[in-house]
Amino acid sequence: KNSKIVESSGVKLKFKPPKDNYYSESEEREKEEGREKKDDEVSPGGVQVVAQKASDGTELRVVAERCDIEEGKTIIKEMSEQVIVDDLRKAISIWKEERK
């Protein structure tokens, strides 16, 4: 079905920076040798979740996508994505049941 989106609403979930920074093996070596680079705060990114309502009124879809990612710097943890998607599935299922 290719319905036109007539209404959408969403939220951006931003991840907190980790307390301990992750360093690659070469970065660890540089730190040990005293050649460490300036510690820049890297965004851990986030997930933007948008609910969209189709023009025919029968279709509601939820789209979740990564946001606020710094290319080549942000470490993406697939496990965190799966937790968010699973929780969204549960919440949508409960919401649908309550609307019946």
Side-chain angles (χ1 to χ4, degrees), residues 12-34:
K12 185 186 285 190
L13 307 171
K14 293 184 80 173
F15 300 124
K16 290 182 179 180
K19 290 181 182 179
D20 298 323
N21 288 338
Y22 169 81
Y23 294 100
S24 69
E25 191 174 318
S26 62
E27 290 169 325
E28 282 291 340
R29 207 173 310 113
E30 286 175 1
K31 284 182 72 144
E32 289 170 5
E33 295 171 2

Side-chain angles (χ1 to χ4, degrees), residues 61-74:
R61 68 180 181 180
V62 177
V63 179
E65 57 189 8
R66 283 276 180 179
C67 63
D68 297 342
I69 294 175
E70 293 183 42
E71 276 304 312
K73 294 183 179 181
T74 300

Side-chain angles (χ1 to χ4, degrees), residues 31-67:
K31 284 182 72 144
E32 289 170 5
E33 295 171 2
R35 297 182 289 134
E36 69 183 271
K37 299 173 188 170
K38 183 183 172 200
D39 236 359
D40 291 331
E41 183 85 13
V42 176
S43 169
V47 176
Q48 184 169 343
V49 182
V50 179
Q52 300 173 331
K53 183 178 178 183
S55 58
D56 61 10
T58 61
E59 188 178 343
L60 176 70
R61 68 180 181 180
V62 177
V63 179
E65 57 189 8
R66 283 276 180 179
C67 63

